[in-house]
């Protein structure tokens, strides 16, 4: 009997698709114990995801010292952008309260992720947002979390109010003092810095000059940071240096936005006289406030519209994060980092960008500067003459610019001045 052999082609087995998994972790305080907790969460999720069969580790996105009611969590926003870009299939987080305490924010986020096929798994509640009953459960539990946040906020307000009524300030961090048992105690060396700032200002020295003087002397702020104009002004405006306290000058809008607002009569204020030893006399403090107003009035021109330019608020320094400002120099208008302009190269080694160069590159990228605010969120100025155009759709365009030659930097006025000097030198003596 003849044996027949038939070749059978087997279909190639496809490997199961791996799930790309990321984790989100957050602590709501900057204290050492909390930051240790954050580190533990990062390690836990790192190990959990990498050990799970069928999962691919996509990283742990972690935020420090920010609350779940805030929408400006940097790494949370980065996680959402990576999900939108198709880099993540599932997000693991400890609980709803860690993800967001605002019901609206929570539901908007999980709904958006659900539409693009990204699941969010909440460990404590054992809920997958992509499941059929996930949204209902999330809505109920998030409402409880939001009420818990409101309750905690109201309890904190009550405690602060009791302290104000007893003459106790909310913030004990004040240059020149240490807060001990509900009272400010003078720190001699820091008190001398406070007096130096007040005396310098009354002698005619400007805020910027005082800032530079303190930094050059190696004097640090109360938190150990370099001085900036706003920190100098805060010292000059602080009524507590007179030995008196005016409490509840500001307040929080609500427990969700946490916006700090000026108290213009919405809430009671508390004035406590002779609460602690003064560093500055009340007479000197009032003289400084009058001088601040006088200088402000000198540079304020009512009815005159302040000039705005196409790149105002758009160019951001890639080194220090501050905005660039327009400055007119001998060679023409340039855009310069505000830190570099105010504090010098030691604080930000960025370069100024000629306005003509900025316009030329923007027109090359966008076609016109008119489309600037419609298409992009920012222009990031990086080192090595690099400009990064950040578009609203999340994409970026990188461009390099070259320094102007010396001849290009000369204006017609500068050329004419040079010609006149040359003619003067060529005239014979006598």
């Amino acid at each position: 009997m003849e044996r027949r052999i038939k070749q059978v082609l087997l279909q190639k087995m496809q490997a199961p698709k791996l799930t790309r998994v990321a984790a989100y972790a957050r602590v709501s305080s900057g204290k050492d114990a909390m930051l240790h907790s954050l580190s533990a969460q990062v390690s836990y999720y790192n190990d959990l995801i990498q050990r799970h069969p069928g999962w691919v580790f996509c990283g742990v996105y972690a935020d420090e010292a920010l609350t779940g009611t805030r929408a400006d969590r940097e790494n949370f926003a980065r996680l959402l952008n990576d999900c939108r870009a198709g880099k993540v299939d599932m997000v693991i987080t400890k609980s709803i309260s860690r993800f967001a305490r605002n019901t609206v924010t929570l539901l908007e986020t999980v709904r958006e992720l659900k539409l693009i096929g990204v699941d969010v798994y909440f460990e404590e509640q054992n809920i997958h947002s992509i499941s059929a009953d996930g949204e209902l459960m999330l809505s109920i539990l998030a409402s409880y979390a939001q009420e818990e946040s409101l309750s905690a906020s109201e309890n904190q307000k009550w405690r602060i109010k009791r302290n104000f009524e007893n003459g106790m300030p909310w913030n004990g961090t004040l240059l020149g003092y240490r807060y001990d048992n509900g009272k400010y105690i003078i720190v001699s060396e820091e008190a001398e810095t406070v007096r130096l700032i007040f005396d310098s200002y009354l002698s005619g020295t400007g805020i910027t000059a005082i800032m530079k003087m303190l930094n050059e002397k190696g004097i640090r702020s109360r938190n150990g940071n370099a001085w900036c104009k706003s920190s100098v002004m805060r010292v000059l405006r602080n009524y507590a240096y007179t030995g008196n306290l005016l409490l509840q000058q500001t307040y929080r809008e609500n427990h969700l936005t946490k916006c700090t607002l000026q108290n213009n009569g919405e809430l009671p204020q508390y004035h406590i006289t002779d609460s602690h030893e003064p560093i500055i006399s009340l007479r000197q403090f009032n003289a400084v406030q009058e001088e601040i107003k006088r200088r402000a009035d000198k540079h304020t021109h009512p009815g005159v519209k302040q000039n705005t330019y196409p790149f105002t608020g758009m160019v951001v320094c890639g080194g220090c994060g501050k905005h660039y400002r327009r400055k007119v120099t001998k060679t023409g208008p340039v855009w310069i980092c505000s830190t570099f302009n105010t504090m010098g190269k030691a604080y930000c080694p960025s370069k100024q960008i000629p306005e003509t160069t900025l316009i030329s590159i923007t027109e090359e990228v966008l076609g016109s500067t008119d489309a600037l605010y419609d298409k992009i969120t920012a222009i990031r100025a990086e080192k090595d003459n690099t400009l990064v155009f950040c578009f609203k759709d999340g994409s970026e365009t990188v461009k390099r610019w070259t320094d102007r030659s010396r001849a290009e930097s000369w204006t017609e006025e500068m050329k004419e001045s040079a010609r006149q000097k040359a003619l003067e030198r060529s005239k014979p003596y006598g």
Side-chain angles (χ1 to χ4, degrees):
M1 183 177 177
E2 184 179 355
R3 185 169 59 176
R4 296 181 180 180
I5 300 174
K6 184 179 180 180
Q7 184 178 4
V8 179
L9 297 176
L10 296 176
Q11 291 185 346
K12 187 176 180 181
M13 298 292 292
Q14 289 186 345
K17 183 183 177 182
L18 299 175
T19 303
R20 297 165 297 179
V21 182
Y24 179 71
R26 178 185 60 81
V27 293
S28 56
S29 171
K31 296 179 181 178
D32 291 342
M34 290 298 185
L35 295 183
H36 176 74
S37 170
L38 180 60
S39 176
Q41 289 182 58
V42 172
S43 299
Y44 164 73
Y45 286 122
N46 195 319
D47 184 65
L48 173 69
I49 297 172
Q50 296 199 58
R51 286 177 177 272
H52 194 286
W55 285 1
V56 176
F57 179 70
C58 291
V60 177
Y61 299 74
D63 283 313
E64 296 178 7
L66 296 168
T67 63
T69 56
R70 293 292 295 272
D72 55 355
R73 291 171 284 166
E74 179 183 355
N75 286 309
F76 182 74
R78 188 167 62 87
L79 170 62
L80 295 183
N81 286 334
D82 285 349
C83 290
R84 294 172 186 132
K87 298 178 182 179
V88 178
D89 299 317
M90 184 168 78
V91 177
I92 299 177
T93 189
K94 182 180 178 182
S95 67
I96 291 173
S97 62
R98 295 293 89 190
F99 202 66
R101 287 183 181 150
N102 185 328
T103 305
V104 175
T105 301
L106 174 73
L107 294 179
E108 285 179 349
T109 303
V110 296
R111 282 172 182 168
E112 180 190 354
L113 295 179
K114 186 175 181 179
L115 286 173
I116 59 177
V118 177
D119 184 21
V120 182
Y121 177 60
F122 301 91
E123 286 190 295
E124 282 190 3
Q125 292 82 17
N126 191 25
I127 295 176
H128 283 272
S129 64
I130 212 164
S131 65
D133 58 349
E135 183 167 327
L136 174 61
M137 291 299 298
L138 286 172
S139 179
I140 295 170
L141 292 171
S143 295
Y144 279 115
Q146 186 168 326
E147 286 302 315
E148 181 185 356
S149 175
L150 174 60
S151 176
S153 175
E154 291 301 317
N155 289 339
Q156 181 79 315
K157 286 181 180 178
W158 182 86
R159 186 170 69 86
I160 293 171
K161 184 181 179 182
R162 293 285 84 78
N163 286 344
F164 284 166
E165 290 173 348
N166 293 323
M168 297 173 62
W170 164 242
N171 184 7
T173 305
L174 181 62
L175 182 73
Y177 293 102
R178 289 298 179 272
Y179 195 59
D180 185 26
N181 292 325
K183 192 171 183 178
Y184 284 128
I185 307 299
I186 283 185
V187 178
S188 299
E189 185 177 350
E190 291 183 6
E192 286 304 314
T193 300
V194 173
R195 295 187 186 103
L196 174 63
I197 292 172
F198 274 82
D199 291 341
S200 299
Y201 192 77
L202 282 179
S203 68
T205 309
I207 299 294
T208 302
I210 294 174
M211 173 198 72
K212 289 182 177 179
M213 174 192 66
L214 294 171
N215 288 328
E216 287 170 0
K217 288 177 176 290
I219 299 173
R220 293 290 172 176
S221 69
R222 173 67 175 84
N223 294 320
N225 300 320
W227 289 85
C228 60
K229 291 194 293 185
S230 60
S231 55
V232 173
M233 184 58 79
R234 277 196 298 272
V235 170
L236 293 172
R237 289 285 198 187
N238 202 321
Y239 180 62
Y241 289 123
T242 65
N244 307 304
L245 291 173
L246 182 60
L247 304 178
Q248 197 153 272
Q249 297 182 61
T250 61
Y251 67 98
R252 289 287 177 87
E253 183 179 33
N254 57 55
H255 72 293
L256 296 178
T257 64
K258 296 190 181 295
C259 290
T260 300
L261 304 176
Q262 195 70 30
N263 184 6
N264 295 314
E266 292 83 359
L267 296 174
Q269 292 188 351
Y270 304 87
H271 187 214
I272 299 93
T273 58
D274 300 323
S275 63
H276 54 278
E277 185 179 354
I279 295 176
I280 301 298
S281 70
L282 183 59
R283 180 179 178 181
Q284 187 177 17
F285 177 82
N286 289 333
V288 165
Q289 308 317 302
E290 291 174 7
E291 179 63 12
I292 290 173
K293 185 178 184 304
R294 187 192 69 80
R295 294 187 194 185
D297 291 341
K298 181 180 177 181
H299 298 286
T300 300
H301 305 285
V304 178
K305 187 177 180 181
Q306 193 172 15
N307 289 331
T308 57
Y309 303 94
F311 299 99
T312 299
M314 294 299 293
V315 186
V316 180
C317 180
C320 69
K322 294 297 181 71
H323 282 95
Y324 272 53
R325 62 176 63 160
R326 190 177 191 266
K327 182 177 182 178
V328 178
T329 67
K330 290 182 179 179
T331 60
V334 299
W335 287 80
I336 186 170
C337 171
S338 55
T339 301
F340 176 87
N341 188 49
T342 303
M343 305 179 72
K345 190 174 183 179
Y347 292 88
C348 182
S350 57
K351 292 178 68 174
Q352 62 185 26
I353 309 169
E355 187 171 71
T356 53
T357 300
L358 194 54
I359 292 173
S360 175
I361 294 178
T362 301
E363 290 177 343
E364 181 183 339
V365 174
L366 302 176
S368 168
T369 56
D370 295 337
L372 198 62
Y373 292 91
D374 295 331
K375 294 184 178 180
I376 69 169
T377 58
I379 302 173
R380 196 167 65 249
E382 301 283 5
K383 61 182 180 179
D384 300 325
N385 292 18
T386 301
L387 292 176
V388 181
F389 288 77
C390 305
F391 287 81
K392 289 185 177 180
D393 62 3
S395 62
E396 294 184 346
T397 297
V398 180
K399 289 289 183 180
R400 292 285 304 277
W401 59 278
T402 56
D403 294 304
R404 292 184 298 189
S405 65
R406 187 171 181 182
E408 290 176 319
S409 300
W410 280 41
T411 62
E412 289 302 320
E413 291 79 6
M414 294 169 68
K415 292 176 183 178
E416 179 61 29
S417 176
R419 282 194 289 267
Q420 292 298 329
K421 289 179 180 178
L423 287 173
E424 289 293 330
R425 288 196 296 268
S426 66
K427 289 180 181 180
Y429 290 101

